[in-house]
Amino acid sequence: MSIQRALISVSDKEGLLPFAKALAERGVEIISTGGTSKALLEAGIPVTGISDVTGFPEIMDGRVKTLHPMIHGGLLAVRDNESHRTQMEENGIKPIDLVVVNLYPFKQTIAKENAAFSDAIENIDIGGPSMLRSAAKNHAYVTVVVDPKDYGLVLDELQQHQAVSVETRRRLAAKTFRHTAAYDALIAEYLTQQVEEEHPESYTVTFEKKQDLRYGENPHQKAAFYSKPLGPVLSVANAQQLHGKELSYNNINDADAALAIVREFIDPAVVAVKHMNPCGVGTGRDVAEAFKRAYEADPVSIFGGIIASNVEIDKPTAEKMSEIFLEIVIAPSFSEEALAVLTQKKNIRLMIVPFEKHGVIGKKITTIAGGMLVQDEDAFGLDEANVSVPTKRQPTEKEWADLKLAWKVVKHVKSNAIVLARDEMTVGVGAGQMNRVGAAKIAIEQAGELAKGSALGSDAFFPMDDTVEAAAKAGITAIIQPGGSVRDEDSIKKADEYGIAMVFTGVRHFKH
């Protein structure tokens, strides 16, 4: 379709002036509003004011200006419908062939610290989405542009073909409906949060594409990476990559799992993850000590793993890290000396995230075939639990430290899960087993001699006393578990029989 008349009204003025100038040079009449009109006139580009088209002033502080038959009639008219043409002539309505609109900055407004509710409401665009939807619906005759990146596409087609092709108009219309849907979804989410609606009748969220990925979990699966607007700052989606090749689908999942674990800790901590499960977690006086323990927890599995630290990576730690193959190191920062060491490895990804801006984690969304599940993130900590000790023996101070470490980590291990911890590090991890004693046996086997004197954490209660029996035979001296089984007494008696101190938390941490 040739373009003779365009309506331009944008809040994001990137690329606006050269685009509008090129249209004007082609003889296109430009209709515009408010700040856009002013910017064009100041650049010497001829503009017809919206009020000159509608015959009605912009009123109510600009809230009402484009919601008018002279505008929407020009957008929605079916050009080859004789009745529509007649009605246009009778009412003096001229067709509008191009709509260039982007919307009030609602996202930018609510992103401001302590954003006022009244400011958010004022930045809900009404006329813009209405024009975009009208133009996109009638894309058989109207070209609609919401993204400055598409200005060049429109100009190229006008230059080459004197018109915009139907294929391009259709693609731009689809993009427009995605744009308005995302805009409305963000507004809906914000207002739903404001009224504290926990589980609304429909759940509308939007995500923005960060990048296409080489492939998904496997090379035959196509994939892309999307981020949530105004999502948690402490996330892979908001991480800054300093070095290395692009992240893969599996890298992103593993890095997310590593961050989820390491943010449990206040003292220096390092987490190593393989296939969404921790293979080693260590804490210490500094990052070097924490990494040493994370490495020693499982020096085999850490190869090719993802590392997350909650403190800056220094040179001594970087030198130790460079001795093994690691996919990713993610931390709040890297010293210049550490970067100099690690960047000698071409493919290692180095990423930073702002740990000081932890923020609210929010909801967890899991898709299933034909639907999705929504739940709160599992942010429940031991400090919030109703802790009790049902056994005769209380844990020692050292055992308490080991129990707390095991409890923080087991929450992030696929169920059924067992974690063994001692001396500020994990020594055994049993993940994703069909029965709990099976998970315990795997963790004990991995720990070997280090199981002796360690503490055992379980993500859920013991349905029978066989896990306590296995723990006792391995020399484990303390256990932390939710409790709540109808056979708790069996486990308590077994623990007392072997002199094991057992802690009940009353909180389950299933992870599927």
Side-chain angles (χ1 to χ4, degrees):
M1 297 294 293
S2 63
I3 293 175
Q4 300 177 24
R5 204 161 178 248
L7 194 159
I8 303 178
S9 180
V10 294
S11 60
D12 178 2
K13 295 179 174 55
E14 177 189 349
L16 169 66
L17 297 181
F19 179 59
K21 183 179 179 182
L23 291 175
E25 289 174 348
R26 297 185 62 85
V28 176
E29 178 191 0
I30 296 176
I31 305 165
S32 192
T33 65
T36 303
S37 177
K38 180 181 178 182
L40 295 177
L41 288 171
E42 288 176 350
I45 299 170
V47 174
T48 301
I50 199 77
S51 296
D52 295 328
V53 176
T54 63
F56 202 89
E58 296 185 26
I59 62 173
M60 301 177 184
D61 300 318
R63 281 190 169 205
V64 179
K65 53 191 174 187
T66 60
L67 298 170
H68 195 282
M70 300 299 286
I71 301 300
H72 287 273
L75 294 174
L76 287 167
V78 177
R79 310 290 171 83
D80 53 5
N81 182 307
E82 185 175 348
S83 174
H84 285 204
R85 290 200 306 271
T86 299
Q87 291 174 62
M88 290 178 73
E89 291 171 5
E90 289 174 348
N91 291 283
I93 298 173
K94 295 181 180 179
I96 298 171
D97 310 305
L98 170 65
V99 171
V100 182
V101 171
N102 50 56
L103 307 174
Y104 291 175
F106 180 80
K107 182 176 78 170
Q108 293 86 341
T109 299
I110 64 173
K112 295 175 183 176
E113 190 172 352
N114 300 320
F117 181 76
S118 58
D119 288 341
I121 297 301
E122 280 305 308
N123 278 279
I124 296 176
D125 203 328
I126 301 301
S130 298
M131 289 187 292
L132 289 175
R133 288 172 59 82
S134 292
K137 174 178 179 176
N138 207 28
H139 68 269
Y141 309 97
V142 182
T143 301
V144 57
V145 179
V146 295
D147 187 348
K149 294 183 179 69
D150 293 321
Y151 292 167
L153 171 65
V154 171
L155 291 177
D156 286 346
E157 293 211 5
L158 290 176
Q159 179 68 31
Q160 295 177 28
H161 309 295
Q162 312 306 312
V164 179
S165 67
V166 63
E167 293 82 9
T168 296
R169 294 197 306 275
R170 187 166 295 168
R171 285 199 301 272
L172 291 174
K175 186 172 186 176
T176 295
F177 279 115
R178 293 195 301 270
H179 184 75
T180 56
Y183 189 79
D184 283 341
L186 198 58
I187 295 168
E189 183 179 15
Y190 172 79
L191 289 174
T192 300
Q193 290 171 350
Q194 293 297 308
V195 299
E196 299 181 346
E197 187 78 47
E198 189 70 21
H199 295 116
E201 73 290 341
S202 62
Y203 196 85
T204 308
V205 293
T206 186
F207 293 83
E208 300 169 348
K209 188 161 86 169
K210 283 180 65 73
Q211 66 188 87
D212 289 310
L213 300 174
R214 297 193 305 279
Y215 52 82
E217 283 183 292
N218 300 290
H220 59 274
Q221 295 171 274
K222 294 181 180 178
F225 183 21
Y226 290 79
S227 66
K228 191 176 188 300
L230 309 181
V233 177
L234 181 51
S235 72
V236 182
N238 288 306
Q240 179 186 352
Q241 186 166 347
L242 304 179
H243 176 75
K245 59 184 180 181
E246 282 190 353
L247 295 175
S248 71
Y249 182 100
N250 292 331
N251 288 156
I252 293 165
N253 263 326
D254 285 339
D256 179 65
L259 278 178
I261 301 170
V262 82
R263 70 175 178 235
E264 295 276 356
F265 297 90
I266 297 173
D267 294 334
V270 172
V271 173
V273 163
K274 286 288 287 292
H275 303 293
M276 299 284 285
N277 278 307
C279 56
V281 177
T283 62
R285 293 165 298 178
D286 53 36
V287 66
E289 190 172 68
F291 175 72
K292 180 176 183 292
R293 288 175 174 149
Y295 171 79
E296 290 175 350
D298 189 346
V300 175
S301 299
I302 198 173
F303 183 85
I306 279 69
I307 300 295
S309 169
N310 62 354
V311 291
E312 181 176 87
I313 304 298
D314 58 18
K315 183 180 180 181
T317 308
E319 288 173 339
K320 288 296 182 182
M321 288 179 172
S322 68
E323 293 175 3
I324 58 175
F325 168 56
L326 297 172
E327 290 274 8
I328 298 174
V329 180
I330 187 166
S333 58
F334 295 79
S335 71
E336 289 185 13
E337 295 82 3
L339 280 176
V341 171
L342 291 171
T343 52
Q344 292 180 33
K345 292 198 161 193
K346 180 181 178 181
N347 292 328
I348 189 172
R349 290 90 159 179
L350 304 178
M351 309 184 73
I352 56 174
V353 289
F355 273 77
E356 70 277 7
K357 296 182 179 179
H358 190 159
V360 177
I361 303 304
K363 300 289 185 180
K364 181 175 180 61
I365 299 171
T366 304
T367 59
I368 62 168
M372 70 177 186
L373 299 167
V374 180
Q375 66 174 343
D376 295 336
E377 288 279 1
D378 186 359
F380 200 98
L382 194 58
D383 292 340
E384 303 161 271
N386 185 20
V387 174
S388 63
V389 181
T391 52
K392 294 176 182 177
R393 190 172 74 79
Q394 295 280 324
T396 65
E397 186 176 342
K398 178 188 179 302
E399 286 171 337
W400 269 118
D402 293 339
L403 288 168
K404 288 176 181 179
L405 176 57
W407 187 246
K408 286 179 179 179
V409 176
V410 78
K411 181 169 82 170
H412 299 278
V413 179
K414 296 286 187 178
S415 301
N416 286 316
I418 296 291
V419 169
L420 306 186
R422 59 174 283 183
D423 302 328
E424 297 189 70
M425 60 187 280
T426 56
V427 295
V429 178
Q433 298 306 299
M434 286 62 72
N435 62 74
R436 193 152 304 281
V437 72
K441 288 177 179 178
I442 291 172
I444 290 166
E445 182 180 354
Q446 181 191 350
E449 287 299 311
L450 292 175
K452 292 179 180 178
S454 69
L456 179 152
S458 174
D459 63 324
F461 63 61
F462 299 156
M464 53 190 68
D465 64 8
D466 51 1
T467 302
V468 180
E469 180 79 35
K473 289 180 178 178
I476 292 164
T477 62
I479 293 173
I480 187 167
Q481 56 129 323
S485 168
V486 295
R487 299 184 65 178
D488 273 347
E489 277 302 317
D490 292 348
S491 294
I492 295 168
K493 289 178 181 178
K494 186 65 67 174
D496 284 337
E497 179 184 334
Y498 287 103
I500 292 174
M502 187 157 62
V503 176
F504 282 0
T505 66
V507 180
R508 188 183 74 188
H509 284 304
F510 273 163
K511 183 177 176 64
H512 288 92

